[in-house]
Amino acid sequence: MRIVSLLPSTTEILFAIGAGQDVVGVTFECDFPPEARTRRIVSTSAMPEGLTPKEIDDFVVAATAAGQDLYRLDEGALADLDADLVVTQDLCAVCAVDVSVVDDALAHLGCTAEVLTLDPHTLDEVFATIHTLGRATGREDAAASLVAGLHARLAEVVRRVAHRPRPRVVLLEWTDPPFAPGHWIPEMIDLAGGEPVLGVAGAKSVRTTWADVDAARPDLVVVAPCGYDRAGARALADEIAGELPSGVRVHAVDADAAWARPGPRLLDGIEELARVLDEMCASSA
């Protein structure tokens, strides 16, 4: 099977279940595992480099309003790769190539590849996508084993945090303007033993205000800007320090690795947050 993955998360899953050898095309954002970087890149961003968070938001808003695509799909690369399976998404036009663009490109090329569209909104749906990819690639057992391991890790975190206080947590998916999280992230905070006080599980992330952040009375603000690693998140946390409630603890995370991408490393994010909250509760006891 020849697979083109148009999502960093599905690239991670495919390699994790042993189908990495079948992956022939990826996006410019597919950077985990490192071997993914050796595959041909078939989609790139239409956004200029070096923009600030505010400039990125302005660009996305303007492009969306004008009906412009935020990603460029290399139809020539798709044709050359002769894919049997193309994995894409219908979750967020800001996150990856829209499925309609993929369908149009394949129709134009006369390509008969199967298009598998994934659209997880909750943690259980993320786990379900692993099973879906396992079935699509003939690796059902590996997928089931991966999911079982993730459930075991999750159960251990839930057991460990069950009897301690639950600090109030605000996670910011973006900083200028601030965005409250949706999808699987409020669940992750809850499972890590925190109380998510902005954002709705399973819903879309939403633009919010610093006044709303202050009114939420958080004990911890997690800075997790989509598209940023930990160093980038730390820099943004420093920039917004004056906007945050006085005395609140701030923790910057690698959003791409463990929060924004719906793949196996979400468990890393839950485990990290649980440790941070454990330390907070211990220090205040």
Side-chain angles (χ1 to χ4, degrees), residues 47-246:
M47 190 180 307
E49 295 183 1
L51 300 182
T52 66
K54 177 63 166 61
E55 290 168 340
I56 291 172
D57 183 70
D58 289 344
F59 182 92
V60 169
V61 169
T64 303
Q68 298 171 349
D69 294 324
L70 295 170
Y71 292 85
R72 299 188 182 101
L73 189 62
D74 186 341
E75 294 187 4
L78 275 178
D80 292 344
L81 292 173
D82 190 26
D84 303 302
L85 176 66
V86 177
V87 186
T88 185
Q89 57 94 47
D90 194 22
L91 177 66
C92 174
V94 178
C95 297
V97 179
D98 189 84
V99 64
S100 63
V101 175
V102 178
D103 289 339
D104 291 345
L106 294 178
H108 174 71
L109 296 169
C111 179
T112 58
E114 176 188 356
V115 177
L116 179 58
T117 304
L118 302 175
D119 190 23
H121 285 73
T122 67
L123 203 56
D124 279 345
E125 290 174 359
V126 173
F127 294 153
T129 65
I130 297 174
H131 287 297
T132 298
L133 286 168
R135 289 190 296 271
T137 59
R139 290 171 172 81
E140 294 96 331
D141 291 345
S145 178
L146 175 58
V147 172
L150 296 174
H151 276 298
R153 290 169 61 188
L154 186 57
E156 173 58 23
V157 172
V158 171
R159 181 199 65 76
R160 183 163 56 82
V161 305
H163 301 295
R164 66 152 166 75
R166 301 179 67 83
R168 297 169 63 85
V169 180
V170 166
L171 184 141
L172 298 176
E173 284 194 356
W174 201 248
T175 58
D176 191 7
F179 267 75
H183 304 118
W184 47 85
I185 288 179
E187 283 184 89
M188 292 174 65
I189 295 169
D190 180 69
L191 291 164
E195 181 184 351
V197 290
L198 277 184
V200 178
K204 292 183 178 180
S205 59
V206 294
R207 190 182 298 246
T208 188
T209 67
W210 295 116
D212 287 337
V213 173
D214 186 69
R217 297 181 292 107
D219 300 302
L220 175 70
V221 172
V222 179
V223 181
C226 184
Y228 284 76
D229 60 11
R230 192 184 302 272
R234 283 175 179 153
L236 293 180
D238 290 340
E239 290 179 10
I240 65 171
E243 304 286 357
L244 297 176
S246 176

